Amino acid sequence: MPTIVWTKIDEAPALASYSFLPIVEGFLDESGIDITTSDISLAGRILAQFPDRLSEDQKVADHLAELGELTASPDANIIKLPNISASIPQLKAAIAELQAQGYDLPDFPEKPSTDEDKETAARYATVLGSAVNPVLREGNSDRRAPAAVKAYAKAHPHRMGQWTGQVKARVTHMDHGDFFDHEESFISRGQDLDVVLIGSDGSETVLASGIKTADGEIVDATFMSVDALDEFYASSLAQAKEEDLLWSVHLKATMMKVSDPVLFGHAVRTFLADVFDKYGDDLNSVGVNPDLGLGDLYARLEKLPAERATAIKAAIDSAFAARPALAMVDSDNGITNLHAGNLVIIDASMPTVVRDSGCMWNADGKRQETLACIPDRSYATMYAAIMDDCREHGALDPATMGDVPNVGLMAQKAEEYGSHPTTFIIAHDGCVEVRCGDEVLTSQQVEAGDIWRMSRVRDVPVRDWVRLAVERARITNTPAVFWLDANRAHDARVIEKVKAYLREHDTEGLDIRILAPADAMKFTLARIRRGEDTISVTGNVLRDYLTDLFPILEIGTSAKMLSVVPLLAGGGLFETGAGGSAPKHVSQFVAEDYLRWDSLGEFCALGASLEHIDQTSEGTRAGVLAATLDKAIRAFLENDRSPARKLGQIDNRGSHYWLARYWATELAAQRDDAELADRFSDVATELAAREDQILEELNGVQGHPVDMGGYYHPDEELVAEAMRPSTTLNAIIEAL
Ligand SMILES: NC(=O)C1=CN([C@@H]2O[C@H](COP(=O)(O)OP(=O)(O)OC[C@H]3O[C@@H](n4cnc5c(N)ncnc54)[C@H](OP(=O)(O)O)[C@@H]3O)[C@@H](O)[C@H]2O)C=CC1
Ligand SMILES: O=C(O)CCC(=O)C(=O)O
Ligand SMILES: [Mg+2]
């Protein structure tokens, strides 16, 4: 029987599943479709690493590995909700929570020295950062706003900050010494590669060996000079100060778990340069590591003798006074951009800057224009281009603007997003060589601390990506732009392949272009300002960035996106939206039993998953279920049933009631499957008749704190109870 795997994850979407999944299970009962769950939450993944230390009833199987294997099967049908990509502070918090719940987990080794510590560190490393998506994404991505969602957004445009020529906010990036500058790229002939650091003293350190590459694979080698990076941060600090702009740093320290925490650490180190220079020994003595952010630094000060801690805090306060104002994440609680690397994530943070007229929050809880530091030029220039465009032409208008769907190169850990195992922080000055046997393929002069990395993209994914781009351009009759820069080494190789693979398709009458990111941005913006849709066809990083940027500008959030990954092996991975797991929503839920999470992404993913079953399996009711769900989603949007924003109105749970009701109504009304119509006619009637009572039960609980029994590993019963407070609704669903 076709089986949908629903992933169990973290934070707000995990809470939402406690309410929505029982409804889905009820609706799919007797449909010829099975639905199961798979625990790939951060807590579940941690526990799966330590079976040897857990009792039988505490053990959790390695569901992520199982799901990874499933992606290679044509039967795969996975609904993937967004999960936490944990920074080290988050990982440590999750470990502490599990320990407190009685799981005998080892502490996270800060500086592993013994063999045992190294073993533990290696196990935790598999859970760190973006550890789920690269395993499951065995296909390229097709992300777009469903037509009904786009139509709704145009009819009910969200708030958009104004832009004028006077706005000083802008993007600043490096102009030398970055990854862009140093990139070298070659096509593999299927060689096994070694990466070797040759010290200035002639010593050789093997950084990686026997890296298997496939024939036709693009291999890039590049590095970030941290001296140039520090200079860049220092000069941007001076600029922000002079122009009275907030200073903000936008990185992807969660996904880019090896390189970006270090880029972040240099920002912390530069911001507090005087403090680190003067008190370096004290800070070292308590294990301060700037990569972990100011939050961790403050916590460690507590371990110093009181008078040293006080002196250092005073020095930090003077540093803050001398520096430009720092962008805040939570001004009420004094949490800054530099508190932890996972707090400002570029794909989500930069769109809000554009939406909010170039502003972020300052320490007084007021909006202030920002200088957005995005060190590497490979991707910064397109953000600079959109801010320049808004300055010149004003804000974009969600009521009229065209749509920018994305076709993203993602499969098989493509490009930078698969580079973690081959990213190295260079220990000493020297030269990094990529070799095949004795043949030296690239050779780069580096200095201690530089961040060197090798990224790769296989040929099969590139070919499939070009195919998917042509398919989407044809189906929607929309121009498609490949965002590739002929002046970047990697992109130049990709361009050769794109040109070759485009010849495999009938592109007659299609408008397909290749433009550098900043030009692609200008071209796209000019079109969408005229209301014209334009497909962006991008590599893995821009896929991530643009599928938050345009949705947030067009429809107010990326949560409502349809995100389909046709797996190379024939199965389907259906991701929900492009947004994250909204930690802020959990705080609100805990404080006042109100969950703002919008499950529209889950609804759309379920629809796509059912359609996939209808197209690939016989003997199920998937077709009728998908068609009626689509209509239900339209009704849901037309009647504005997304979570409201005010206490006392419907939240996530209330929105699920409405979806269930519209879906039941559509099922009862359709003529293709009389048995189903019959089964759902009473349900539809009941749901309508009991509306007042159900909404009262759902909304009546709001306004009080909720005990979840844990953040990363909440108590299932407590949460299930909290998320299903309407006995009336539960009884109707259970009767299904
Ligand atoms: N695919 C995946 O698995 C992804 C996982 N992540 C992970 O999620 C965590 C948080 O990431 P971050 O990038 O800060 O994103 P957030 O989860 O904080 O989302 C950013 C903002 O988007 C809005 N938002 C997102 N989803 C919804 C929704 N369903 N309903 C309503 N509003 C929504 C909210 O904005 P507002 O308050 O302005 O309305 C939210 O504050 C990190 O651990 C990150 O790694 C991130 C992206 C994708
Ligand atoms: O895997 C992650 O860490 C984030 C992924 C993401 O942001 C995206 O795919 O949009
Ligand atoms: Mg993203």
Side-chain angles (χ1 to χ4, degrees):
M1 198 186 314
T3 302
I4 298 175
V5 182
W6 188 278
T7 49
K8 178 172 178 230
I9 35 69
D10 319 275
E11 296 182 329
L15 292 175
S17 291
Y18 280 93
S19 159
F20 187 49
L21 191 54
I23 295 174
V24 179
E25 286 165 341
F27 275 69
L28 295 195
D29 198 40
E30 291 177 33
S31 65
I33 304 161
D34 225 356
I35 182 156
T36 60
T37 56
S38 173
D39 181 357
I40 53 168
S41 65
L42 176 60
R45 287 180 283 127
I46 292 175
L47 294 175
Q49 288 302 315
F50 294 94
D52 44 327
R53 300 179 63 121
L54 303 179
S55 65
E56 279 314 309
D57 61 319
Q58 288 180 325
K59 279 184 194 169
V60 174
D62 191 344
H63 293 290
L64 179 60
E66 289 166 16
L67 275 193
E69 279 165 32
L70 180 62
T71 60
S73 153
D75 297 330
N77 188 316
I78 303 167
I79 296 187
K80 158 67 176 60
L81 286 79
N83 59 283
I84 292 182
S85 293
S87 63
I88 289 178
Q90 282 175 301
L91 184 54
K92 285 163 70 175
I95 296 168
E97 179 177 322
L98 289 163
Q99 287 169 334
Q101 291 176 352
Y103 294 88
D104 175 31
L105 296 172
D107 287 338
F108 180 82
E110 304 256 334
K111 288 196 175 127
S113 50
T114 63
D115 284 350
E116 195 186 336
D117 278 0
K118 284 185 186 155
E119 219 303 278
T120 303
R123 291 201 211 181
Y124 280 132
T126 64
V127 190
L128 190 67
S130 182
V132 170
N133 289 327
V135 175
L136 301 185
R137 290 173 165 174
E138 285 294 313
N140 293 311
S141 93
D142 167 12
R143 282 187 183 176
R144 53 197 138 97
V149 170
K150 180 69 182 170
Y152 175 86
K154 283 185 159 176
H156 305 86
H158 60 91
R159 189 190 59 79
M160 184 80 106
Q162 292 309 302
W163 276 82
T164 66
Q166 267 65 57
V167 174
K168 289 185 297 177
R170 63 178 188 278
V171 169
T172 179
H173 53 70
M174 299 170 72
D175 58 13
H176 70 280
D178 55 356
F179 291 119
F180 180 94
D181 203 9
H182 296 135
E183 192 169 67
E184 293 180 42
S185 188
F186 63 89
I187 305 273
S188 163
R189 302 183 308 270
Q191 296 125 303
D192 285 0
L193 306 176
D194 303 322
V195 182
V196 183
L197 169 65
I198 301 144
S200 315
D201 57 359
S203 63
E204 290 205 0
T205 314
V206 177
L207 300 177
S209 66
I211 302 167
K212 299 240 170 303
T213 62
D215 192 29
E217 179 168 329
I218 301 172
V219 181
D220 312 317
T222 186
F223 69 98
M224 167 67 76
S225 152
V226 293
D227 274 355
L229 176 69
D230 291 344
E231 259 169 51
F232 159 71
Y233 282 139
S235 90
S236 69
L237 280 165
Q239 276 172 49
K241 179 87 183 172
E242 184 177 319
E243 297 179 45
D244 198 21
L245 293 169
L246 288 178
W247 193 67
S248 59
V249 180
H250 303 260
L251 296 163
K252 184 95 185 182
T254 48
M255 169 56 104
M256 297 303 296
K257 60 182 171 188
V258 185
S259 57
D260 285 23
V262 181
L263 296 173
F264 175 77
H266 278 269
V268 174
R269 179 83 178 61
T270 308
F271 191 84
L272 292 182
D274 292 345
V275 180
F276 277 92
D277 289 346
K278 186 157 177 208
Y279 296 102
D281 292 342
D282 291 300
L283 297 175
N284 273 337
S285 73
V286 289
V288 166
N289 173 359
D291 301 2
L292 301 181
L294 283 183
D296 181 83
L297 186 151
Y298 280 122
R300 283 176 202 269
L301 291 185
E302 304 305 322
K303 297 189 199 156
L304 284 171
E307 90 212 50
R308 294 309 282 170
T310 311
I312 296 176
K313 280 183 202 156
I316 294 176
D317 290 345
S318 325
F320 266 88
R323 292 301 193 189
L326 195 52
M328 302 300 286
V329 174
D330 177 352
S331 40
D332 293 342
N333 293 302
I335 310 293
T336 69
N337 186 166
L338 297 182
H339 263 62
N342 59 290
L343 297 178
V344 172
I345 308 182
I346 185 168
D347 55 340
S349 62
M350 281 305 297
T352 351
V353 172
V354 179
R355 190 189 59 190
D356 295 344
S357 320
C359 293
M360 292 178 79
W361 299 103
N362 66 20
D364 300 328
K366 298 212 174 70
R367 289 185 200 274
Q368 186 177 335
E369 289 180 18
T370 191
L371 182 66
C373 300
I374 307 175
D376 181 38
R377 261 170 305 169
S378 305
Y379 306 107
T381 56
M382 67 93 185
Y383 284 123
I386 190 170
M387 289 176 71
D388 289 343
D389 190 271
C390 288
R391 218 185 315 276
E392 192 175 339
H393 301 289
L396 290 149
D397 180 359
T400 56
M401 71 193 280
D403 190 22
V404 188
N406 179 267
V407 175
L409 175 59
M410 184 169 86
Q412 300 180 348
K413 307 186 173 70
E415 304 179 322
E416 292 93 331
Y417 278 8
S419 67
H420 323 310
T422 46
T423 302
F424 306 99
I425 312 307
I426 298 300
H428 50 78
D429 294 4
C431 167
V432 177
E433 292 186 352
V434 175
R435 298 179 187 162
C436 170
D438 292 335
E439 187 187 358
V440 177
L441 298 161
T442 64
S443 169
Q444 291 161 323
Q445 220 55 52
V446 291
E447 292 177 357
D450 287 354
I451 307 161
W452 187 95
R453 79 171 167 227
M454 173 191 283
S455 309
R456 300 147 61 186
V457 55
R458 298 196 166 81
D459 185 59
V460 172
V462 177
R463 190 173 188 171
D464 178 72
W465 171 62
V466 173
R467 178 200 62 75
L468 187 59
V470 175
E471 180 181 291
R472 293 307 307 165
R474 179 68 72 195
I475 292 174
T476 59
N477 193 24
T478 300
V481 181
F482 284 83
W483 293 46
L484 294 168
D485 184 351
N487 293 318
R488 198 188 140 188
H490 167 75
D491 285 13
R493 298 286 184 189
V494 180
I495 289 172
E496 287 165 21
K497 285 189 186 283
V498 168
K499 287 184 175 160
Y501 289 136
L502 278 174
R503 278 184 235 117
E504 293 181 348
H505 302 278
D506 169 17
T507 53
E508 182 73 27
L510 298 181
D511 181 350
I512 296 182
R513 305 169 187 231
I514 300 175
L515 296 171
D519 298 329
M521 178 60 91
K522 280 183 219 149
F523 174 79
T524 301
L525 290 175
R527 286 183 52 87
I528 63 175
R529 284 182 187 280
R530 296 193 296 266
E532 296 163 351
D533 301 342
T534 312
I535 302 172
S536 62
V537 189
T538 68
N540 212 349
V541 176
L542 283 177
R543 167 199 63 76
D544 182 19
Y545 293 6
L546 296 188
T547 59
D548 266 330
L549 178 63
F550 286 111
I552 287 173
L553 298 175
E554 289 178 39
I555 60 182
T557 171
S558 55
K560 302 181 179 178
M561 297 290 281
L562 179 61
S563 188
V564 179
V565 183
L567 294 169
L568 295 175
L573 171 69
F574 306 94
E575 299 194 37
T576 72
S581 45
K584 275 186 283 180
H585 296 196
V586 186
S587 324
Q588 186 185 12
F589 179 69
V590 170
E592 52 188 32
D593 200 349
Y594 188 89
L595 185 64
R596 241 187 66 201
W597 181 260
D598 189 335
S599 289
L600 216 101
E602 287 99 286
F603 305 160
C604 294
L606 177 62
S609 157
L610 290 168
E611 270 168 27
H612 180 78
I613 294 178
D614 183 46
Q615 284 154 13
T616 52
S617 309
E618 301 281 313
T620 75
R621 295 187 141 130
V624 176
L625 286 164
T628 49
L629 176 56
D630 185 54
K631 288 189 179 156
I633 294 173
R634 282 170 196 273
F636 179 95
L637 285 165
E638 276 156 22
N639 293 291
D640 213 355
R641 303 300 186 192
S642 281
R645 299 234 163 171
K646 278 207 208 94
L647 219 59
Q649 300 176 332
I650 60 163
D651 72 350
N652 177 264
R653 297 163 287 193
S655 79
H656 294 164
Y657 157 75
W658 284 107
L659 195 272
R661 174 162 161 191
Y662 293 130
W663 197 5
T665 307
E666 294 297 341
L667 279 164
Q670 54 76 34
R671 297 287 171 83
D672 296 325
D673 187 330
E675 228 177 272
L676 260 189
D678 189 43
R679 190 159 111 82
F680 278 93
S681 74
D682 286 352
V683 182
T685 313
E686 276 284 285
L687 285 170
R690 306 280 185 126
E691 175 184 325
D692 289 345
Q693 195 179 344
I694 293 174
L695 291 181
E696 208 177 285
E697 288 170 0
L698 290 176
N699 298 352
V701 295
Q702 296 172 12
H704 310 281
V706 182
D707 177 13
M708 300 198 339
Y711 184 90
Y712 295 98
H713 193 241
D715 181 305
E716 303 236 337
E717 272 173 36
L718 285 180
V719 179
E721 209 173 297
M723 285 305 297
R724 303 187 71 203
S726 166
T727 45
T728 312
L729 176 60
N730 297 351
I732 300 173
I733 298 301
E734 259 128 51
L736 274 167

